[in-house]
Amino acid sequence: MATVSPAASSALDGTALRADFPVFERLTRSGKPLAFLDSAASSQKPRAVIDAIADAYGHHYANVHRGIYELSEDATARYEGARKRLAGFIGATSDRELIFVRNATEAINLVAFSWGRANTGAGDLVLSTEMEHHANLVPWQQLAAETGATVAYVAITEDGRLDMADLRRLLERGPKLLAISHVSNALGTINPVAEITSMAHDAGALVLVDAAQSVPHMPVSVTELGADFVAFSGHKMLGPSGIGALWARRSLLDAMPPFMTGGSMISRVTLTGTTWNEVPWKFEAGTPAIAEAIGLAAAVEYLEGLGMANVRQHERYLFERAWAALDAIRGVRLLGPADPEQHAGVISFVLEGIHPHDLATVLDREGIAVRAGHHCAQPVMLHYDLPATTRASFYVYNDVDDVERLTDAIGTSQKLFG
């Protein structure tokens, strides 16, 4: 495995930024400070987000879009303001193209249920890849089982990149849709989505991008990606859980049937039939996650204050330091591309002679939180013939001391297990 020469500096001071996150005020059960290296699963929350949610519930809460009174109008303005802010954050040309959902998983299921069942049938082909999170695999398998369509998967190379030759071969079969991750949660691979989207469109396919691991960590413009659907989650980008978004082209949304039906998503209901509300509200049945949307807007404001280019530079810096340090440890096998241009701040590895679950337990005793398992990406584990990996993932509140603590604790684990 080639060693990466780490960059000299970072654009952010992760150690200083921890002061913005109350969780780092607590000590772990070992009595040591927390080194949180599991942001790929869910991020910690800055005080600004926590305060925004408390203020929304404490001073601005009412149901939205319904009440003809001041408090409801206030809540509606804040909720729709959150939509506008989030749409601007991802470079959308209209906030009407952004639908609030619970998370990226629900966003992908919305597309599979609504667009998929209306536009695929027996003999049609949907493409995904071997590196996807289960949330971008299982919905397409279910769609195929119900409609008679087929799902095929783009292969990955041994260094964890998409096999572009295999992609070209599969696109020649004329798929209806390509569902692909921008960044692999299990490998950290950054896929060249803009290039891939252009290829897919030339083949007549729409493109859905799972951006759950990219929107929180790097500048993302849905316009520049050129995709047709983009899904992401709030809880991975310093926001609350229970809120995320689907961005999609307006023409597609207008043509798609509702995902769920009930209150709010209707225009007129009679005993003989129903007409739907306009986009995006057609896809937001029932009372939405009002305070959570406001909290997500606060997270966006925090990230914009840091600058997403700076966030990406900081994580690249930590990736390079961590990759070089881990590569120097005897018995460590690193997964994913070594090129920092193609790798996000997510590192999966295995340690010879120590199961990832055992390693994670030892690291926890040192106050270090990592993820161990298949990362909801079992086809990736099957590809490498592994039961699991250990995954360390970085964010704005991490710094070089976290990398040093990780590598020192791995040395402790090797001594413990002989």
Side-chain angles (χ1 to χ4, degrees), residues 24 26-28 30-35 366-368 405:
F24 295 108
R26 57 168 288 179
L27 295 177
T28 63
S30 64
K32 299 178 180 180
L34 172 66
E366 299 296 321
I368 303 167
R405 289 180 63 186

Side-chain angles (χ1 to χ4, degrees), residues 89-400:
F89 184 68
I90 61 169
T93 57
S94 170
D95 59 322
R96 295 284 295 275
E97 295 179 324
L98 190 132
I99 299 163
F100 281 126
V101 291
R102 289 182 303 162
N103 44 46
T105 298
E106 183 173 291
I108 295 169
N109 274 273
L110 188 161
V111 177
F113 184 92
S114 178
W115 178 90
R117 283 160 179 77
N119 290 278
T120 61
D124 287 333
L125 176 65
V126 173
L127 295 184
S128 189
T129 85
E130 290 183 359
M131 70 168 59
E132 300 306 310
H133 188 284
H134 295 162
N136 207 19
L137 290 176
V138 179
W140 310 116
Q141 293 173 348
Q142 289 296 104
L143 173 66
E146 293 179 24
T147 65
T150 301
V151 185
Y153 305 97
V154 181
I156 57 177
T157 63
E158 283 309 298
D159 65 347
R161 294 177 295 111
L162 283 180
D163 186 330
M164 297 298 283
D166 190 47
L167 172 61
R168 292 186 185 93
R169 180 184 63 81
L170 289 170
L171 287 174
E172 290 176 355
R173 294 172 54 185
K176 284 288 190 75
L177 178 80
L178 169 63
I180 185 173
S181 57
H182 194 176
V183 173
S184 165
N185 76 302
L187 297 170
T189 306
I190 303 174
N191 288 317
V193 169
E195 175 190 351
I196 290 171
T197 295
S198 179
M199 294 167 56
H201 285 167
D202 288 344
L206 297 182
V207 178
L208 178 143
V209 177
D210 175 358
Q213 299 292 343
S214 62
V215 166
H217 300 285
M218 59 188 68
V220 172
S221 166
V222 294
T223 303
E224 292 177 6
L225 291 181
D228 303 287
F229 305 98
V230 177
F232 57 101
S233 295
H235 70 95
K236 295 182 189 293
M237 53 187 290
L238 308 182
S241 56
I243 188 75
L246 170 70
W247 173 88
R249 297 189 185 280
R250 177 69 183 272
S251 58
L252 292 169
L253 293 173
D254 284 338
M256 287 161 53
F259 177 39
M260 294 186 292
T261 56
S264 298
M265 52 71 62
I266 53 86
S267 175
R268 178 174 171 79
V269 177
T270 70
L271 296 181
T272 58
T274 300
T275 56
W276 313 131
N277 203 342
E278 295 180 337
V279 168
W281 307 287
K282 177 172 73 170
F283 295 101
E284 293 179 2
T287 298
I290 301 166
E292 289 78 1
I294 294 169
L296 181 52
V300 167
E301 182 177 2
Y302 184 91
L303 288 170
E304 288 177 333
L306 298 178
M308 291 309 296
N310 293 333
V311 173
R312 169 60 182 148
Q313 182 184 341
H314 178 65
E315 292 183 20
R316 173 173 170 159
Y317 167 71
L318 294 179
F319 162 76
E320 292 180 87
R321 294 292 295 258
W323 187 276
L326 290 167
D327 191 46
I329 298 175
R330 175 183 52 83
V332 168
R333 177 189 175 191
L334 294 163
L335 301 180
D339 183 354
E341 287 292 324
Q342 301 179 46
H343 206 127
V346 177
I347 300 180
S348 283
F349 63 95
V350 290
L351 185 58
E352 183 181 358
I354 305 177
H355 192 282
H357 291 168
D358 294 329
L359 177 59
T361 299
V362 175
L363 295 180
D364 179 56
R365 293 173 183 170
E366 299 296 321
I368 303 167
V370 297
R371 181 56 57 100
H374 55 65
H375 317 298
C376 294
Q378 288 179 309
V380 173
M381 301 300 117
L382 291 171
H383 176 87
Y384 291 105
D385 194 25
L386 295 170
T389 70
T390 303
R391 184 185 70 187
S393 52
F394 304 105
Y395 211 1
V396 297
Y397 36 67
N398 295 119
D399 219 326
V400 176

